[in-house]
């Protein structure tokens, strides 16, 4: 089981995991996120850092041990996100409603996600739309997902319903043959939702926006030359508990 992740390396050899899962048996019941803060003593010539708790996310389950509610902590804008999850008769995530509430005036919006699966139980289509407190619908789009021959997520093509000429393409490439530490995380957290869909680890990522078929800014890309792996075949970007 993955316990800590998002490993950060900073100067003077300090290393930190900036997120952590708390378990009850095999079920994740909390996710803790941290900031890295400077705690250099006065007069010290080199900086030192420590972790400061930024947010706590709690997870609730149904009788089938499926996560049905993900409750994020209130952020610095006094905003809170709560995800409500539904499943089909095969136990697959079928719908998610992400409710964002601005606690200052109690206004909210709901982002609805509906999932379509392939015959091999891979998510191949996600339909999204946002509804605000007054019932206005906006931000509608569809995401089409494709996979490589090893079952790893290869591409996400997002089409905006209000502007079909606008397309965003996200690509994952250069996969290793080792275990993806997020693949067995049973909670569809926003920050690792797509990472969970592959069995191996991508080492190349790109995101490009197209207008009328032509790439336009912003562009986003990175490449990882390689990971170090532990004796269980997981990359050392996280800590694990084996049982």
């Amino acid at each position: 089981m993955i316990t800590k992740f998002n490993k950060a390396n900073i100067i003077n050899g300090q290393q930190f995991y900036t997120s952590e899962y708390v378990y009850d048996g095999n079920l994740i019941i909390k996710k803790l996120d941290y900031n890295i803060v400077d705690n250099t003593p006065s007069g010290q010539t080199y900086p030192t850092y420590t972790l400061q708790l930024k947010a706590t996310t709690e997870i609730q389950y149904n009788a089938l041990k499926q996560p049905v509610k993900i409750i994020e902590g209130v952020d610095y804008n006094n905003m809170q996100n709560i995800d409500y999850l539904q499943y089909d008769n095969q136990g697959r995530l079928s719908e998610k409603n992400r409710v964002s509430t601005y606690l200052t005036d109690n206004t909210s919006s709901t982002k609805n996600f509906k999932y379509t699966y392939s015959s091999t139980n891979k998510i191949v289509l996600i339909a999204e739309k946002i509804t605000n407190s007054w019932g206005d619908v906006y931000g509608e789009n569809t995401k089409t997902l494709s996979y490589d021959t090893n079952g790893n997520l290869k591409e996400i093509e997002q089409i905006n319903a209000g502007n079909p000429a606008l397309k965003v393409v996200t690509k994952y490439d250069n996969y290793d043959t080792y275990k993806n530490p997020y693949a067995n995380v049973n909670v569809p957290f926003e920050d690792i939702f797509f990472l969970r869909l592959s069995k191996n680890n991508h080492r190349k990522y790109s995101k490009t926006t197209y207008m009328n078929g032509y790439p336009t800014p912003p562009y986003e890309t990175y490449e990882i030359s390689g990971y170090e792996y532990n004796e269980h075949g997981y990359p050392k970007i996280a800590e694990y508990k084996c049982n």
Side-chain angles (χ1 to χ4, degrees), residues 1-2 20-32 56-61 65 67 69-72 185-187 189:
M1 298 185 297
I2 183 172
E20 180 178 6
Y21 295 140
V22 179
Y23 289 83
D24 180 4
N26 291 325
L27 298 180
I28 298 170
I29 57 171
K30 286 185 181 180
K31 177 174 178 283
L32 308 176
T56 299
T57 300
E58 298 183 354
I59 302 91
Q60 296 179 3
Y61 293 82
K65 296 185 177 180
K69 193 174 181 180
I70 303 173
I71 308 165
E72 297 182 8
V185 175
N186 69 317
V187 183
F189 294 110

Side-chain angles (χ1 to χ4, degrees), residues 99-118:
V99 180
S100 301
T101 303
Y102 184 47
L103 298 178
T104 301
D105 60 7
N106 209 36
T107 57
S108 66
S109 63
T110 300
K111 189 169 187 179
N112 174 263
F113 304 81
K114 291 185 178 178
Y115 305 97
T116 301
Y117 290 81
S118 69

Side-chain angles (χ1 to χ4, degrees), residues 74-205:
V74 180
D75 68 15
Y76 60 89
N77 289 319
N78 209 24
M79 180 77 72
Q80 183 175 40
N81 295 308
I82 300 178
D83 294 346
Y84 298 88
L85 313 175
Q86 300 176 35
Y87 299 86
D88 63 19
N89 56 13
Q90 297 183 56
R92 304 176 302 190
L93 178 66
S94 60
E95 187 170 349
K96 179 173 75 173
N97 284 289
R98 183 172 176 81
V99 180
S100 301
T101 303
Y102 184 47
L103 298 178
T104 301
D105 60 7
N106 209 36
T107 57
S108 66
S109 63
T110 300
K111 189 169 187 179
N112 174 263
F113 304 81
K114 291 185 178 178
Y115 305 97
T116 301
Y117 290 81
S118 69
S119 59
T120 57
N121 290 322
K122 291 283 192 181
I123 295 175
V124 292
L125 184 70
I126 305 175
E128 303 177 2
K129 68 177 180 180
I130 300 173
T131 307
N132 63 21
S133 297
W134 297 273
D136 301 317
V137 177
Y138 60 98
E140 289 187 88
N141 69 74
T142 57
K143 289 183 171 71
T144 302
L145 285 64
S146 59
Y147 300 82
D148 64 21
T149 54
N150 292 320
N152 291 313
L153 180 61
K154 180 175 65 175
E155 184 175 291
I156 304 170
E157 183 181 275
Q158 176 180 316
I159 302 293
N160 188 306
N163 184 3
L166 177 63
K167 180 172 70 172
V168 180
V169 177
T170 303
K171 294 184 178 181
Y172 301 87
D173 200 359
N174 196 17
Y175 278 89
D176 62 22
T177 57
Y178 292 87
K179 299 175 183 177
N180 173 9
Y182 304 103
N184 292 321
V185 175
N186 69 317
V187 183
F189 294 110
E190 278 288 287
D191 58 343
I192 63 163
F193 187 91
F194 293 111
L195 291 176
R196 297 168 61 248
L197 303 183
S198 299
K199 67 178 184 178
N200 305 122
N201 307 285
H202 72 273
R203 291 174 292 180
K204 187 175 182 181
Y205 168 93

